[in-house]
Amino acid sequence: MLQLYFFPMACSLASRIALMEAGLDVHYHLAHIWTKKVVDDGSDFLGVSPKGAVPVLVLENGERLTESAAVLQYIADVKPEAGLAPAFGDPDRYRLQEWLSFVGAEIHKAFLFPTFWCKDDGSLAKPRARVAETLSMPATHLADREFLVGNRFTVADAHLTWALLLLRPAGVDIAQWPSLSAYLERMQARPAVREAIATEMALRKTMAASPA
Ligand SMILES: N[C@@H](CCC(=O)N[C@@H](CS)C(=O)NCC(=O)O)C(=O)O
């Protein structure tokens, strides 16, 4: 069985959404990303992954896969019939990778990560100034589309949904981009997405405020 190391409402939520959309059986381990302890048994999370970051997906053969873009595509490819990624060779596969990279680098690491992890000593001014320009990209793209890639839900939507959910706690009002607000509402209406968020929100309430 696949195993996912996650922290509630962190970027590993996208992997949980993908796993639930695929209907895969998974063993979930809560890894505390500040203390670097696995909550199940108090073991060292750095022993699971020296990166000390979620998501970590443990594959059926015991190998550990990190980085959301890779983990999400792996999940999609375990259950191709769920249609969570275009097949390799389909030009849309590169569109999927394009969006996974954009969410991971331009939204997550350029904005969400510093917002939640860095002290606001003035150094957050630049990422904050840039975020509207960044978000205008998916906003424009989604103005006349239901999903990021093709005409069905993919793991790129799982990734963007997570990032958009964190905008409010990061102090950005998504209402500025009606296409993004409508998209987020549509995504949250999906049963798997709703259940994944509800599960992690419930866990999160039992913990202190957490970063991205
Ligand atoms: N590039 C990685 C970033 C993973 C990441 O930064 N995860 C955060 C949670 S959203 C984390 O676990 N941070 C802990 C740390 O960096 O110490 C990915 O896309 O999966």
Side-chain angles (χ1 to χ4, degrees):
M1 187 191 291
L2 293 171
Q3 300 172 52
L4 181 74
Y5 287 83
F6 77 101
F7 186 80
M9 299 309 289
C11 54
S12 46
L13 173 63
S15 298
R16 183 190 289 269
I17 290 173
L19 288 161
M20 294 184 71
E21 286 277 353
L24 290 167
D25 275 343
V26 187
H27 188 110
Y28 291 95
H29 302 276
L30 200 164
H32 204 300
I33 54 179
W34 299 328
T35 63
K36 307 296 179 201
K37 294 279 177 214
V38 179
V39 172
D40 303 351
D41 57 5
S43 60
D44 184 8
F45 181 44
L46 292 169
V48 175
S49 168
K51 291 180 178 172
V54 292
V56 180
L57 187 70
V58 185
L59 313 184
E60 302 282 1
N61 66 3
E63 278 185 39
R64 291 159 193 173
L65 189 63
T66 61
E67 300 299 325
S68 298
V71 168
L72 288 167
Q73 290 187 75
Y74 186 91
I75 294 167
D77 290 336
V78 168
K79 190 85 176 283
E81 59 274 31
L84 293 173
F88 280 106
D90 182 330
D92 269 353
R93 185 72 182 221
Y94 300 103
R95 294 290 166 206
L96 181 97
Q97 293 185 352
E98 187 177 35
W99 280 113
L100 290 173
S101 296
F102 185 85
V103 173
E106 306 300 334
I107 306 180
H108 182 187
K109 285 296 167 170
F111 175 69
L112 293 171
F113 193 83
T115 299
F116 288 107
W117 282 78
C118 304
K119 282 206 181 90
D120 196 356
D121 53 1
S123 58
L124 295 180
K126 269 195 183 161
R128 289 208 159 271
R130 207 182 137 91
V131 73
E133 192 189 325
T134 303
L135 291 170
S136 73
M137 302 297 161
T140 303
H141 183 74
L142 289 165
D144 56 1
R145 283 182 184 83
E146 199 172 338
F147 303 104
L148 281 175
V149 180
N151 56 6
R152 62 187 302 166
F153 182 94
T154 66
V155 291
D157 296 300
H159 208 188
L160 182 62
T161 296
W162 163 75
L164 296 181
L165 283 170
L166 259 69
L167 287 181
R168 186 182 294 170
V172 175
D173 184 3
I174 193 178
Q176 297 168 67
W177 301 279
S179 64
L180 290 184
S181 314
Y183 168 83
L184 185 56
E185 231 171 84
R186 280 198 305 282
M187 296 303 114
Q188 288 184 274
R190 297 177 69 85
V193 175
R194 205 169 45 229
E195 195 185 331
I197 295 169
T199 302
E200 296 213 354
M201 284 301 281
L203 275 167
R204 173 73 174 268
K205 281 199 182 114
T206 67
M207 310 177 84
S210 71

